[in-house]
Amino acid sequence: MDNNERLFHRPTTSDDIPYLIGSSCKDCGDIHFPPKGACPNCLVNHTLEKINIGQKGYISSYSILHVAPIGFPIPHIQAMVKLEEGPLVFSILNINETDDLAIGQPVELTIGSIRKDENGEDIIGWMYQPEGGGE
């Protein structure tokens, strides 16, 4: 299993949708990303089940980097996204125009190339973009 398959689902058909793979506690109801081995809220083992989360959320905070790590585009926008299900997730924003970027802005999940590796190959990951499309 590819490590990415433990964190997110990449659509394979046009009617397939992306999602993050989280965990939900059957005892207390807490939802987590990334998935956990035991519930960090009620501290009970064997109560977690995998669930699909993260399709929608809103920007909780963001930072526009004009100097980015090697392989990342400039400007490089990082954000904390509050998911509809509750967890707060660190993500790259897949957006070209920063003029309309705002705290509280609704975003949706997309899966794609987040950067290039040292050989110029795409590294695939999750990103969020404004609802209705990004790039």
Side-chain angles (χ1 to χ4, degrees):
M1 176 185 286
D2 182 337
N3 280 336
N4 289 340
E5 293 174 0
R6 296 175 190 204
L7 296 175
F8 61 86
H9 169 72
R10 185 177 186 184
T12 56
T13 64
S14 61
D15 59 341
D16 198 2
I17 56 173
Y19 56 82
L20 300 178
I21 299 169
S23 56
S24 175
C25 180
K26 292 183 263 186
D27 279 0
C28 71
D30 256 17
I31 296 175
H32 315 280
F33 181 80
K36 307 291 182 200
C39 180
N41 182 51
C42 64
L43 304 176
V44 177
N45 286 324
H46 310 295
T47 61
L48 295 178
E49 59 186 353
K50 287 186 179 179
I51 60 169
N52 304 341
I53 63 172
Q55 294 164 343
K56 295 193 181 285
Y58 65 87
I59 297 171
S60 175
S61 65
Y62 67 90
S63 181
I64 301 170
L65 288 76
H66 297 284
V67 177
I70 295 172
F72 286 93
I74 299 173
H76 176 69
I77 307 160
Q78 299 175 344
M80 294 303 293
V81 174
K82 181 74 170 178
L83 304 181
E84 284 183 341
E85 297 86 359
L88 193 60
V89 175
F90 175 81
S91 180
I92 294 169
L93 291 184
N94 185 21
I95 185 171
N96 285 330
E97 284 298 318
T98 59
D99 294 343
D100 296 328
L101 198 55
I103 302 296
Q105 182 175 3
V107 290
E108 60 190 3
L109 180 67
T110 183
I111 306 293
S113 176
I114 57 170
R115 71 175 183 94
K116 302 282 186 187
D117 69 11
E118 59 277 352
N119 298 318
E121 299 291 323
D122 289 330
I123 294 180
I124 305 301
W126 73 86
M127 300 171 280
Y128 281 86
Q129 64 187 19
E131 279 189 351
E135 294 190 286

